[in-house]
Amino acid sequence: MTHPANPESVFTYGAPQLKFGRGAAEEIGYDLSLIGANRVLVVTDRGVAATGTPQRVADHMQRFGITAHVFDGSRVEPTDESLQAAIEYARESGPWDAFVAVGGGSSIDTAKAINLLLTNPGALMDYVNVPVGAGLAPVNALKPLVAVPTTTGTGSESTTICVLDVLSQKVKTGISHARLRPTLAVIDPDLTMTQPPGVTAASGMDILCHALESYTARPYTSFERKAPERRVPYCGSNPIADMWSEKALGLLAGSFRQAVQHGDDADARADMALAATFAGMGFGNAGVHIPHSNGYPIAGRVKDFHPKDYPADEPMVPHGMSVALTAPEAFRFTFDAAPERHLRAAALLAPDAERTRDPAEQLPTILIALMRDIGLPNGVTGVGFDEGDVDGLVEGTMKQQRLLATAPKPVTEDDVAAIFRRSMQLW
Ligand SMILES: NC(=O)c1ccc[n+]([C@@H]2O[C@H](COP(=O)([O-])OP(=O)(O)OC[C@H]3O[C@@H](n4cnc5c(N)ncnc54)[C@H](O)[C@@H]3O)[C@@H](O)[C@H]2O)c1
Ligand SMILES: [Zn+2]
């Protein structure tokens, strides 16, 4: 790690207003009535709509004199095209006073894009991160957005990010700006009870990687000092984000396997929901690094993999699965940059685990045991890639420089290639 000439001495912390607990989703109408909202668009996807939850949330709002309309056209893992279609739908059916996203990261991110483009000039690609898009900052304030997660995963309800697949460039990237952060996050664990096991497993690995990557991220003090106007939401690891990541790991230790294997366990579901929220509040301010950078090309270059419990119409590697597959090897690689953090994370995640002879193996060993138990595919070959795909995957990872910059040590193409090769099969 290079030592900055003028080290950063400031970090920032942002989070939305938050309501957590069983029954919280019934209070959204009240919360929106306080700001005088009359016409509200509820944004979801078809799978979540089929559980009846979005319509129930809309019906509760009607009691406060709010007209709420359910739009179920979010794509599972949004693309530029799906976001564009959603934006057009909302524009034609508007105006809307506020948006309520009920669903996983896919629905919440779709609502963020709708909100951005209905309140600001220009086109979607104007706001997408450089070099894929123009990376412009929104000039106008957005409308109120209430984010109501039904998965236990992304933490999108508390982040400033909207993730999308830009089809023409075969790349997953994002829009990132403080204005995208939801006004209010409403986390009601009851809504997560219908999450199928496959979704619980993949989205749970997203929580875990958020916590581990932000906890092992380059410390904020290792960056050059930024001018105030150059500050970004991701600061590197810092004492406040660390606290959330540690708490998230402790909750996952007690609930992850149980939530996958016994989805009707309300306590496990509630702990997973809390873990997702905590990890979101951590990584949303610290950042993520190698596993997430590798996850984007794994998802973007999918060939013919159809995961259980996800829509079957198109091949996909779900986000949480795509980031998990190289995590054991990524943390074996980063171990020497911050051994004590890797060991502390391992101890939080599996307090009773046997000590491995080589301390660098501790966290990877725990991760692999967990992934086996919850039914994740066995490595990158498990989702349809082989050695011949490594060059393409590495190229995709190297495009995620914004994320790689948060890794605790420099990452070369050869390093990434070695991580992919060693991740072909994990057990
Ligand atoms: N904005 C962020 O900060 C951020 C962070 C990480 C990931 N993401 C993005 O979020 C997306 C993934 O989101 P996700 O993992 O939350 O899942 P998701 O929204 O893609 O949903 C996954 C599947 O589960 C179904 N589902 C969701 N909740 C359900 C419930 N309670 N009952 C029954 N079925 C349910 C959906 O219909 C869908 O088929 C990806 O596009 C990813 O890139 C965003
Ligand atoms: Zn993620």
Side-chain angles (χ1 to χ4, degrees):
M1 182 82 20
T2 51
H3 289 284
N6 184 13
E8 184 57 270
S9 59
V10 175
F11 68 91
T12 56
Y13 183 76
Q17 293 282 334
L18 197 141
K19 261 195 187 190
F20 183 98
R22 303 181 67 180
E26 293 164 20
E27 300 182 10
I28 297 167
Y30 169 77
D31 294 313
L32 284 174
S33 71
L34 296 181
I35 54 164
N38 289 315
R39 280 195 94 232
V40 173
L41 185 65
V42 176
V43 178
T44 189
D45 70 63
R46 267 188 285 156
V48 176
T51 66
T53 296
Q55 191 57 53
R56 249 193 327 276
V57 168
D59 292 344
H60 278 299
M61 278 189 253
Q62 321 268 15
R63 293 186 200 157
F64 292 87
I66 293 170
T67 308
H69 176 77
V70 176
F71 166 68
D72 70 359
S74 303
R75 186 183 196 277
V76 177
E77 311 254 336
T79 63
D80 48 347
E81 285 174 10
S82 80
L83 293 180
Q84 196 53 47
I87 291 160
E88 273 158 32
Y89 174 87
R91 200 171 267 146
E92 279 161 22
S93 55
W96 302 102
D97 301 320
F99 302 96
V100 176
V102 181
S106 298
S107 298
I108 298 174
D109 288 359
T110 300
K112 287 177 179 174
I114 292 174
N115 196 6
L116 172 65
L117 270 298
L118 261 61
T119 50
N120 278 274
L124 186 66
M125 289 307 285
D126 292 340
Y127 298 99
V128 170
N129 291 335
V130 283
V132 180
L136 294 186
V139 286
N140 301 326
L142 276 61
K143 293 264 164 94
L145 166 61
V146 181
V148 191
T150 62
T151 59
T152 42
T154 69
S156 179
E157 69 279 2
S158 50
T159 71
T160 59
I161 317 151
C162 162
V163 182
L164 71 153
D165 208 332
V166 178
L167 295 174
S168 58
Q169 302 190 33
K170 275 197 164 185
V171 59
K172 266 212 169 200
T173 179
I175 304 174
S176 174
H177 190 274
R179 285 197 154 138
L180 255 54
R181 198 191 308 276
T183 327
L184 174 67
V186 175
I187 299 118
D188 185 337
D190 280 351
L191 309 190
T192 71
M193 300 289 295
T194 51
Q195 235 184 146
V199 175
T200 308
S203 60
M205 286 307 296
D206 196 23
I207 309 178
L208 177 50
C209 289
H210 290 160
L212 291 174
E213 290 173 57
S214 53
Y215 194 59
T216 54
R218 230 176 113 172
Y220 74 101
T221 46
S222 72
F223 291 88
E224 288 289 344
R225 173 110 202 215
K226 287 176 207 65
E229 70 278 11
R230 303 290 306 273
R231 296 208 176 283
V232 289
Y234 285 169
C235 314
S237 63
N238 63 73
I240 294 182
D242 286 352
M243 191 180 69
W244 294 118
S245 303
E246 288 185 358
K247 288 278 179 205
L249 290 169
L251 285 163
L252 288 168
S255 61
F256 195 174
R257 285 177 173 84
Q258 179 71 3
V260 174
Q261 288 156 6
H262 301 280
D264 57 350
D265 182 332
D267 292 335
R269 292 291 197 183
D271 281 354
M272 290 296 283
L274 206 51
T277 306
F278 286 3
M281 290 156 89
F283 98 86
N285 292 285
V288 285
H289 54 87
I290 302 172
H292 267 72
S293 305
N294 290 344
Y296 286 136
I298 290 175
R301 290 168 178 262
V302 61
K303 296 174 186 176
D304 191 31
F305 182 70
H306 293 267
K308 191 172 146 284
D309 295 335
Y310 281 81
D313 40 349
E314 282 181 60
M316 69 178 295
V317 183
H319 172 76
M321 189 184 282
S322 71
V323 301
L325 294 174
T326 63
E329 284 306 325
F331 292 116
R332 186 177 278 137
F333 168 74
T334 54
F335 179 80
D336 61 355
E340 66 301 334
R341 283 197 173 240
H342 289 69
L343 291 173
R344 168 103 179 110
L348 287 166
L349 188 58
D352 303 325
E354 257 177 61
R355 290 279 181 87
T356 54
R357 211 173 301 152
D358 175 359
E361 297 299 321
Q362 189 76 18
L363 185 54
T365 304
I366 289 166
L367 283 175
I368 289 170
L370 174 65
M371 289 164 71
R372 288 183 79 150
D373 287 353
I374 61 170
L376 245 66
N378 184 0
V380 179
T381 55
V383 296
F385 296 100
D386 57 37
E387 292 272 345
D389 298 310
V390 168
D391 288 351
L393 291 167
V394 171
E395 190 194 320
T397 297
M398 296 314 286
K399 283 191 187 151
Q400 307 294 333
Q401 285 301 326
R402 196 178 59 94
L403 303 188
L404 289 175
T406 318
K409 67 194 229 194
V411 191
T412 66
E413 279 189 42
D414 287 348
D415 297 331
V416 175
I419 292 170
F420 273 117
R421 284 209 180 87
R422 295 186 55 146
S423 303
M424 284 290 151
Q425 249 188 327
L426 294 172
W427 58 83

